[in-house]
Amino acid sequence: MIPERVRTFIAVETPEELMAAIVEKSEGVREALGRGMRWTRSENIHLTVKFLGDIHRDDIPRALELLREAVGGLSTAPAGVMGPEPFPPGPRARLVVVPVEPVPALLELHKQLDGAMAGMGVKREERRFLPHITLARAKNVRPGWAADFDWTKVAGRIGMLPVSEATFFMSELGPGGPTYTPLGRLKIG
């Protein structure tokens, strides 16, 4: 049963091949920084395009309809996925991410979703959309932790992420990390 209030987001899912390549490329980072970081489980690796936050379960059908309308006329394209890096750059980094190339299809998807979901009261994003896949969050690390690793060892393109489908997820937080349940998948275009 779906709870009365659900935490939701819209994402581009990561194909298994790409997921495995991301995990493999990030192993050295995990070994070097592991203890003070909360790492994303491999099955949860995805590119969040629009975070909706908590919505009422009765609003799920409306959100899915707005998603369907938003992705209907968009074009699809692959986006390059780069090696892991700290984010934001510099001594105030809080995440380890793999950047995703901001190809026009991905930027337009974000723009359309941001506008469509505003129609049901979801706040528009004020910051510029910087597509990335979060691998880890700093938990118990000292400031400047990102300088402890030679990021050039993991630089370069890992693979391509197909931007061809948008998935509407429910996120349930638990002691072992979040569990993501797809509530709907829609082809783009």
Side-chain angles (χ1 to χ4, degrees):
M1 167 129 183
I2 295 177
E4 187 174 336
R5 305 265 333 147
V6 288
R7 183 178 173 96
T8 57
F9 63 94
I10 300 166
V12 174
E13 292 185 80
T14 310
E16 285 188 33
E17 249 177 51
L18 179 57
M19 190 183 312
I22 291 170
V23 169
E24 182 181 330
K25 187 78 162 186
S26 62
E27 280 179 9
V29 180
R30 183 185 289 264
E31 288 171 15
L33 305 174
R35 288 185 215 195
M37 307 297 285
R38 188 176 70 232
W39 293 89
T40 303
R41 294 190 317 256
S42 61
E43 67 270 17
N44 284 353
I45 293 175
H46 65 274
L47 168 64
T48 299
V49 182
K50 178 66 181 167
F51 180 72
L52 281 65
D54 290 344
I55 66 170
H56 194 278
R57 69 176 166 225
D58 293 345
D59 289 332
I60 292 172
R62 183 165 180 229
L64 283 166
E65 183 55 35
L66 290 171
L67 173 59
R68 183 175 292 104
E69 291 171 11
V71 303
L74 299 179
S75 61
T76 64
V81 176
M82 308 308 287
E85 63 182 46
F87 184 83
R92 300 187 70 180
R94 296 179 316 275
L95 306 172
V96 174
V97 303
V98 288
V100 177
E101 291 176 326
V103 296
L106 188 53
L107 296 177
E108 188 61 25
L109 174 62
H110 175 264
K111 179 181 172 186
Q112 291 299 319
L113 291 175
D114 201 39
M117 295 305 153
M120 61 178 278
V122 175
K123 186 177 178 188
R124 286 183 181 265
E125 185 62 52
E126 294 174 4
R127 296 173 291 178
R128 185 171 58 110
F129 177 56
L130 298 171
H132 64 275
I133 296 169
T134 301
L135 298 181
R137 297 181 186 283
K139 195 168 118 183
N140 297 314
V141 295
R142 63 174 177 69
W145 60 268
D148 294 343
F149 186 77
D150 179 3
W151 297 93
T152 61
K153 292 180 181 179
V154 292
R157 182 174 287 182
I158 295 174
M160 300 299 285
L161 176 68
V163 180
S164 57
E165 186 175 74
T167 304
F168 184 64
F169 280 103
M170 172 176 71
S171 172
E172 296 175 280
L173 303 177
T179 300
Y180 301 145
T181 305
L183 299 176
R185 288 185 175 95
L186 292 162
K187 294 285 183 196
I188 296 171

Short mmCIF file of all heavy atoms in Angstrom, two decimals, residues 74-128:
data_model
loop_
_atom_site.label_atom_id
_atom_site.label_comp_id
_atom_site.label_asym_id
_atom_site.label_seq_id
_atom_site.Cartn_x
_atom_site.Cartn_y
_atom_site.Cartn_z
N LEU A 74 9.26 15.57 -26.91
CA LEU A 74 10.71 15.81 -26.77
C LEU A 74 11.53 14.85 -27.63
O LEU A 74 11.08 13.77 -27.98
CB LEU A 74 11.13 15.66 -25.30
CG LEU A 74 10.48 16.64 -24.32
CD1 LEU A 74 10.97 16.34 -22.90
CD2 LEU A 74 10.80 18.07 -24.70
N SER A 75 12.75 15.27 -27.91
CA SER A 75 13.66 14.39 -28.65
C SER A 75 14.50 13.58 -27.66
O SER A 75 14.63 13.94 -26.50
CB SER A 75 14.58 15.22 -29.56
OG SER A 75 15.36 16.10 -28.79
N THR A 76 15.03 12.48 -28.15
CA THR A 76 15.89 11.63 -27.34
C THR A 76 17.32 11.74 -27.83
O THR A 76 17.56 12.13 -28.97
CB THR A 76 15.44 10.15 -27.42
OG1 THR A 76 15.61 9.71 -28.77
CG2 THR A 76 13.99 9.98 -27.00
N ALA A 77 18.25 11.41 -26.95
CA ALA A 77 19.67 11.46 -27.31
C ALA A 77 20.47 10.80 -26.20
O ALA A 77 20.05 10.81 -25.04
CB ALA A 77 20.14 12.90 -27.51
N PRO A 78 21.63 10.25 -26.54
CA PRO A 78 22.51 9.75 -25.48
C PRO A 78 23.32 10.91 -24.89
O PRO A 78 23.60 11.90 -25.57
CB PRO A 78 23.41 8.76 -26.20
CG PRO A 78 23.45 9.27 -27.61
CD PRO A 78 22.12 9.92 -27.87
N ALA A 79 23.67 10.78 -23.62
CA ALA A 79 24.50 11.78 -22.94
C ALA A 79 25.72 11.07 -22.35
O ALA A 79 25.58 10.02 -21.72
CB ALA A 79 23.69 12.46 -21.83
N GLY A 80 26.88 11.65 -22.56
CA GLY A 80 28.10 11.06 -22.03
C GLY A 80 28.15 11.12 -20.51
O GLY A 80 27.75 12.11 -19.91
N VAL A 81 28.64 10.05 -19.92
CA VAL A 81 28.82 9.97 -18.47
C VAL A 81 30.32 9.96 -18.20
O VAL A 81 31.04 9.12 -18.73
CB VAL A 81 28.14 8.70 -17.90
CG1 VAL A 81 28.40 8.56 -16.41
CG2 VAL A 81 26.64 8.73 -18.18
N MET A 82 30.76 10.90 -17.37
CA MET A 82 32.18 11.08 -17.11
C MET A 82 32.60 10.42 -15.81
O MET A 82 31.76 9.98 -15.03
CB MET A 82 32.51 12.58 -17.08
CG MET A 82 32.01 13.34 -18.30
SD MET A 82 32.48 12.63 -19.90
CE MET A 82 34.20 13.06 -19.92
N GLY A 83 33.91 10.38 -15.56
CA GLY A 83 34.44 9.76 -14.35
C GLY A 83 34.08 10.52 -13.09
O GLY A 83 33.73 11.70 -13.13
N PRO A 84 34.16 9.85 -11.93
CA PRO A 84 33.77 10.46 -10.66
C PRO A 84 34.59 11.71 -10.33
O PRO A 84 35.76 11.82 -10.69
CB PRO A 84 34.07 9.37 -9.63
CG PRO A 84 34.21 8.11 -10.38
CD PRO A 84 34.64 8.48 -11.76
N GLU A 85 33.92 12.64 -9.61
CA GLU A 85 34.59 13.85 -9.15
C GLU A 85 33.84 14.39 -7.94
O GLU A 85 32.67 14.07 -7.73
CB GLU A 85 34.66 14.90 -10.25
CG GLU A 85 33.34 15.41 -10.73
CD GLU A 85 33.48 16.42 -11.88
OE1 GLU A 85 34.26 16.17 -12.81
OE2 GLU A 85 32.79 17.46 -11.83
N PRO A 86 34.51 15.22 -7.14
CA PRO A 86 33.83 15.82 -5.99
C PRO A 86 32.90 16.93 -6.46
O PRO A 86 33.14 17.58 -7.47
CB PRO A 86 34.98 16.40 -5.15
CG PRO A 86 36.10 16.59 -6.11
CD PRO A 86 35.93 15.58 -7.20
N PHE A 87 31.80 17.14 -5.69
CA PHE A 87 30.85 18.17 -6.04
C PHE A 87 30.30 18.82 -4.77
O PHE A 87 29.93 18.09 -3.84
CB PHE A 87 29.70 17.57 -6.85
CG PHE A 87 28.72 18.59 -7.34
CD1 PHE A 87 28.97 19.31 -8.49
CD2 PHE A 87 27.56 18.85 -6.64
CE1 PHE A 87 28.07 20.27 -8.94
CE2 PHE A 87 26.65 19.80 -7.07
CZ PHE A 87 26.91 20.51 -8.23
N PRO A 88 30.19 20.12 -4.72
CA PRO A 88 30.76 21.06 -5.68
C PRO A 88 32.28 21.01 -5.62
O PRO A 88 32.84 20.57 -4.63
CB PRO A 88 30.21 22.42 -5.23
CG PRO A 88 29.87 22.25 -3.79
CD PRO A 88 29.53 20.82 -3.58
N PRO A 89 32.94 21.48 -6.66
CA PRO A 89 34.41 21.45 -6.66
C PRO A 89 34.98 22.30 -5.51
O PRO A 89 34.37 23.26 -5.09
CB PRO A 89 34.78 22.08 -8.01
CG PRO A 89 33.54 22.04 -8.82
CD PRO A 89 32.38 22.05 -7.87
N GLY A 90 36.14 21.88 -5.03
CA GLY A 90 36.83 22.65 -4.00
C GLY A 90 36.66 22.08 -2.60
O GLY A 90 36.14 20.98 -2.43
N PRO A 91 37.08 22.84 -1.62
CA PRO A 91 37.11 22.33 -0.24
C PRO A 91 35.75 22.13 0.41
O PRO A 91 35.65 21.48 1.43
CB PRO A 91 37.92 23.40 0.52
CG PRO A 91 37.80 24.64 -0.30
CD PRO A 91 37.64 24.19 -1.73
N ARG A 92 34.69 22.64 -0.19
CA ARG A 92 33.35 22.49 0.39
C ARG A 92 32.55 21.34 -0.26
O ARG A 92 31.33 21.27 -0.12
CB ARG A 92 32.59 23.80 0.27
CG ARG A 92 33.35 24.92 1.02
CD ARG A 92 32.59 26.16 1.08
NE ARG A 92 31.45 25.92 1.99
CZ ARG A 92 30.55 26.82 2.27
NH1 ARG A 92 30.61 28.01 1.74
NH2 ARG A 92 29.57 26.55 3.10
N ALA A 93 33.23 20.44 -0.94
CA ALA A 93 32.56 19.31 -1.60
C ALA A 93 31.78 18.49 -0.58
O ALA A 93 32.25 18.25 0.53
CB ALA A 93 33.59 18.45 -2.32
N ARG A 94 30.59 18.07 -0.98
CA ARG A 94 29.73 17.25 -0.12
C ARG A 94 29.35 15.93 -0.78
O ARG A 94 28.79 15.06 -0.14
CB ARG A 94 28.45 18.02 0.21
CG ARG A 94 28.66 19.27 1.01
CD ARG A 94 27.35 20.01 1.29
NE ARG A 94 26.43 20.12 0.17
CZ ARG A 94 26.48 21.07 -0.77
NH1 ARG A 94 27.40 21.99 -0.73
NH2 ARG A 94 25.60 21.10 -1.74
N LEU A 95 29.64 15.81 -2.08
CA LEU A 95 29.22 14.63 -2.84
C LEU A 95 30.36 14.10 -3.69
O LEU A 95 31.28 14.83 -4.04
CB LEU A 95 28.07 14.98 -3.79
CG LEU A 95 26.81 15.63 -3.25
CD1 LEU A 95 25.91 16.07 -4.40
CD2 LEU A 95 26.07 14.69 -2.32
N VAL A 96 30.24 12.82 -4.07
CA VAL A 96 31.01 12.26 -5.18
C VAL A 96 29.97 11.98 -6.25
O VAL A 96 28.97 11.29 -5.98
CB VAL A 96 31.76 10.97 -4.79
CG1 VAL A 96 32.42 10.36 -6.02
CG2 VAL A 96 32.79 11.24 -3.70
N VAL A 97 30.18 12.54 -7.44
CA VAL A 97 29.22 12.39 -8.52
C VAL A 97 29.93 11.95 -9.79
O VAL A 97 31.15 12.08 -9.91
CB VAL A 97 28.46 13.71 -8.81
CG1 VAL A 97 27.76 14.23 -7.56
CG2 VAL A 97 29.38 14.77 -9.38
N VAL A 98 29.16 11.44 -10.74
CA VAL A 98 29.65 11.29 -12.11
C VAL A 98 28.85 12.29 -12.92
O VAL A 98 27.61 12.22 -12.99
CB VAL A 98 29.54 9.86 -12.68
CG1 VAL A 98 30.57 8.95 -12.03
CG2 VAL A 98 28.18 9.27 -12.53
N PRO A 99 29.53 13.29 -13.49
CA PRO A 99 28.82 14.29 -14.31
C PRO A 99 28.25 13.65 -15.57
O PRO A 99 28.83 12.70 -16.12
CB PRO A 99 29.91 15.29 -14.67
CG PRO A 99 31.04 15.03 -13.74
CD PRO A 99 30.95 13.59 -13.38
N VAL A 100 27.12 14.16 -16.01
CA VAL A 100 26.48 13.72 -17.24
C VAL A 100 26.45 14.92 -18.18
O VAL A 100 26.07 16.02 -17.77
CB VAL A 100 25.06 13.18 -16.97
CG1 VAL A 100 24.37 12.79 -18.28
CG2 VAL A 100 25.11 12.00 -16.01
N GLU A 101 26.88 14.71 -19.41
CA GLU A 101 26.92 15.81 -20.38
C GLU A 101 25.54 16.45 -20.52
O GLU A 101 24.55 15.74 -20.71
CB GLU A 101 27.40 15.31 -21.74
CG GLU A 101 28.86 14.92 -21.74
CD GLU A 101 29.32 14.32 -23.06
OE1 GLU A 101 28.52 13.64 -23.74
OE2 GLU A 101 30.48 14.54 -23.40
N PRO A 102 25.48 17.77 -20.47
CA PRO A 102 24.19 18.46 -20.57
C PRO A 102 23.73 18.58 -22.02
O PRO A 102 23.65 19.68 -22.57
CB PRO A 102 24.48 19.82 -19.94
CG PRO A 102 25.94 20.04 -20.19
CD PRO A 102 26.58 18.68 -20.17
N VAL A 103 23.40 17.47 -22.64
CA VAL A 103 22.96 17.48 -24.03
C VAL A 103 21.59 18.17 -24.10
O VAL A 103 20.82 18.16 -23.13
CB VAL A 103 22.89 16.05 -24.63
CG1 VAL A 103 24.28 15.42 -24.69
CG2 VAL A 103 21.93 15.17 -23.87
N PRO A 104 21.26 18.78 -25.25
CA PRO A 104 19.98 19.51 -25.37
C PRO A 104 18.76 18.68 -24.97
O PRO A 104 17.84 19.21 -24.34
CB PRO A 104 19.94 19.92 -26.84
CG PRO A 104 21.39 20.05 -27.22
CD PRO A 104 22.09 18.95 -26.46
N ALA A 105 18.72 17.40 -25.32
CA ALA A 105 17.55 16.57 -24.98
C ALA A 105 17.36 16.49 -23.46
O ALA A 105 16.23 16.54 -22.96
CB ALA A 105 17.71 15.16 -25.56
N LEU A 106 18.44 16.40 -22.72
CA LEU A 106 18.36 16.31 -21.26
C LEU A 106 17.97 17.65 -20.64
O LEU A 106 17.14 17.71 -19.73
CB LEU A 106 19.72 15.84 -20.72
CG LEU A 106 19.80 15.50 -19.25
CD1 LEU A 106 18.74 14.49 -18.84
CD2 LEU A 106 21.19 14.94 -18.94
N LEU A 107 18.54 18.73 -21.15
CA LEU A 107 18.20 20.05 -20.64
C LEU A 107 16.74 20.39 -20.91
O LEU A 107 16.05 20.96 -20.06
CB LEU A 107 19.12 21.11 -21.26
CG LEU A 107 20.61 20.98 -20.91
CD1 LEU A 107 21.41 22.04 -21.64
CD2 LEU A 107 20.83 21.04 -19.41
N GLU A 108 16.25 20.02 -22.08
CA GLU A 108 14.85 20.28 -22.43
C GLU A 108 13.91 19.42 -21.58
O GLU A 108 12.85 19.88 -21.15
CB GLU A 108 14.60 20.04 -23.92
CG GLU A 108 13.24 20.47 -24.40
CD GLU A 108 12.93 21.96 -24.23
OE1 GLU A 108 13.86 22.79 -24.17
OE2 GLU A 108 11.73 22.29 -24.15
N LEU A 109 14.31 18.18 -21.31
CA LEU A 109 13.51 17.31 -20.44
C LEU A 109 13.37 17.97 -19.06
O LEU A 109 12.26 18.06 -18.52
CB LEU A 109 14.17 15.94 -20.32
CG LEU A 109 13.53 14.97 -19.33
CD1 LEU A 109 12.08 14.65 -19.72
CD2 LEU A 109 14.36 13.68 -19.25
N HIS A 110 14.47 18.44 -18.50
CA HIS A 110 14.41 19.10 -17.20
C HIS A 110 13.52 20.34 -17.24
O HIS A 110 12.68 20.55 -16.36
CB HIS A 110 15.81 19.49 -16.72
CG HIS A 110 15.79 20.27 -15.45
ND1 HIS A 110 15.83 21.64 -15.42
CD2 HIS A 110 15.66 19.87 -14.17
CE1 HIS A 110 15.75 22.05 -14.17
NE2 HIS A 110 15.66 21.01 -13.39
N LYS A 111 13.69 21.16 -18.27
CA LYS A 111 12.89 22.39 -18.40
C LYS A 111 11.40 22.06 -18.48
O LYS A 111 10.58 22.71 -17.81
CB LYS A 111 13.34 23.15 -19.65
CG LYS A 111 12.58 24.42 -19.91
CD LYS A 111 13.08 25.09 -21.19
CE LYS A 111 12.20 26.25 -21.58
NZ LYS A 111 12.59 26.80 -22.88
N GLN A 112 11.04 21.08 -19.28
CA GLN A 112 9.63 20.72 -19.44
C GLN A 112 9.05 20.15 -18.14
O GLN A 112 7.92 20.47 -17.76
CB GLN A 112 9.46 19.71 -20.58
CG GLN A 112 9.71 20.28 -21.95
CD GLN A 112 8.77 21.42 -22.29
OE1 GLN A 112 7.57 21.36 -22.01
NE2 GLN A 112 9.30 22.48 -22.88
N LEU A 113 9.82 19.31 -17.45
CA LEU A 113 9.34 18.73 -16.19
C LEU A 113 9.21 19.79 -15.11
O LEU A 113 8.26 19.78 -14.34
CB LEU A 113 10.27 17.61 -15.72
CG LEU A 113 10.27 16.36 -16.57
CD1 LEU A 113 11.32 15.38 -16.09
CD2 LEU A 113 8.89 15.71 -16.59
N ASP A 114 10.16 20.72 -15.06
CA ASP A 114 10.12 21.79 -14.07
C ASP A 114 8.84 22.61 -14.26
O ASP A 114 8.14 22.92 -13.29
CB ASP A 114 11.38 22.66 -14.21
CG ASP A 114 11.68 23.46 -12.96
OD1 ASP A 114 11.51 22.93 -11.84
OD2 ASP A 114 12.11 24.62 -13.10
N GLY A 115 8.52 22.95 -15.51
CA GLY A 115 7.31 23.71 -15.79
C GLY A 115 6.05 22.91 -15.54
O GLY A 115 5.10 23.42 -14.94
N ALA A 116 6.04 21.66 -15.98
CA ALA A 116 4.84 20.83 -15.83
C ALA A 116 4.51 20.58 -14.36
O ALA A 116 3.34 20.69 -13.95
CB ALA A 116 5.03 19.50 -16.56
N MET A 117 5.50 20.28 -13.55
CA MET A 117 5.24 19.96 -12.16
C MET A 117 4.90 21.20 -11.33
O MET A 117 4.25 21.10 -10.30
CB MET A 117 6.43 19.20 -11.55
CG MET A 117 6.66 17.84 -12.19
SD MET A 117 5.16 16.80 -12.13
CE MET A 117 5.42 15.75 -13.56
N ALA A 118 5.28 22.37 -11.83
CA ALA A 118 4.87 23.61 -11.17
C ALA A 118 3.35 23.73 -11.23
O ALA A 118 2.73 24.33 -10.35
CB ALA A 118 5.54 24.82 -11.83
N GLY A 119 2.74 23.10 -12.25
CA GLY A 119 1.30 23.10 -12.40
C GLY A 119 0.57 22.37 -11.29
O GLY A 119 -0.64 22.53 -11.13
N MET A 120 1.29 21.58 -10.50
CA MET A 120 0.65 20.92 -9.35
C MET A 120 1.28 21.40 -8.04
O MET A 120 1.18 20.72 -7.02
CB MET A 120 0.67 19.40 -9.48
CG MET A 120 2.01 18.75 -9.55
SD MET A 120 1.87 16.94 -9.64
CE MET A 120 1.66 16.54 -7.91
N GLY A 121 1.92 22.57 -8.10
CA GLY A 121 2.42 23.18 -6.88
C GLY A 121 3.84 22.82 -6.47
O GLY A 121 4.29 23.21 -5.41
N VAL A 122 4.56 22.07 -7.32
CA VAL A 122 5.94 21.73 -7.01
C VAL A 122 6.81 22.93 -7.36
O VAL A 122 6.70 23.50 -8.45
CB VAL A 122 6.41 20.48 -7.81
CG1 VAL A 122 7.89 20.20 -7.59
CG2 VAL A 122 5.57 19.27 -7.42
N LYS A 123 7.65 23.31 -6.43
CA LYS A 123 8.50 24.49 -6.60
C LYS A 123 9.44 24.31 -7.79
O LYS A 123 10.05 23.26 -7.97
CB LYS A 123 9.30 24.72 -5.33
CG LYS A 123 10.10 25.99 -5.34
CD LYS A 123 10.82 26.19 -4.03
CE LYS A 123 11.64 27.47 -4.12
NZ LYS A 123 12.49 27.64 -2.97
N ARG A 124 9.55 25.37 -8.60
CA ARG A 124 10.51 25.37 -9.71
C ARG A 124 11.93 25.42 -9.15
O ARG A 124 12.17 26.02 -8.12
CB ARG A 124 10.29 26.57 -10.62
CG ARG A 124 9.07 26.47 -11.50
CD ARG A 124 9.00 27.68 -12.42
NE ARG A 124 7.85 27.65 -13.26
CZ ARG A 124 7.85 27.17 -14.51
NH1 ARG A 124 8.95 26.70 -15.03
NH2 ARG A 124 6.75 27.17 -15.22
N GLU A 125 12.84 24.81 -9.88
CA GLU A 125 14.24 24.82 -9.50
C GLU A 125 14.82 26.20 -9.74
O GLU A 125 14.67 26.75 -10.83
CB GLU A 125 15.02 23.77 -10.31
CG GLU A 125 16.45 23.61 -9.90
CD GLU A 125 16.63 23.15 -8.47
OE1 GLU A 125 16.02 22.15 -8.08
OE2 GLU A 125 17.39 23.83 -7.74
N GLU A 126 15.45 26.76 -8.72
CA GLU A 126 16.04 28.10 -8.85
C GLU A 126 17.47 28.03 -9.37
O GLU A 126 17.94 28.97 -9.98
CB GLU A 126 16.01 28.81 -7.50
CG GLU A 126 14.60 29.11 -7.03
CD GLU A 126 14.55 29.69 -5.63
OE1 GLU A 126 15.62 29.95 -5.03
OE2 GLU A 126 13.43 29.88 -5.14
N ARG A 127 18.15 26.92 -9.10
CA ARG A 127 19.54 26.78 -9.55
C ARG A 127 19.59 26.19 -10.95
O ARG A 127 18.65 25.51 -11.39
CB ARG A 127 20.32 25.87 -8.59
CG ARG A 127 20.43 26.45 -7.19
CD ARG A 127 21.03 25.46 -6.25
NE ARG A 127 20.05 24.40 -6.05
CZ ARG A 127 20.25 23.32 -5.32
NH1 ARG A 127 21.38 23.14 -4.71
NH2 ARG A 127 19.32 22.40 -5.19
N ARG A 128 20.70 26.44 -11.62
CA ARG A 128 20.92 25.87 -12.95
C ARG A 128 21.01 24.34 -12.82
O ARG A 128 21.61 23.82 -11.88
CB ARG A 128 22.22 26.43 -13.52
CG ARG A 128 22.51 26.01 -14.93
CD ARG A 128 23.68 26.79 -15.48
NE ARG A 128 24.89 26.62 -14.69
CZ ARG A 128 25.96 25.96 -15.10
NH1 ARG A 128 26.00 25.43 -16.29
NH2 ARG A 128 27.01 25.85 -14.32
#
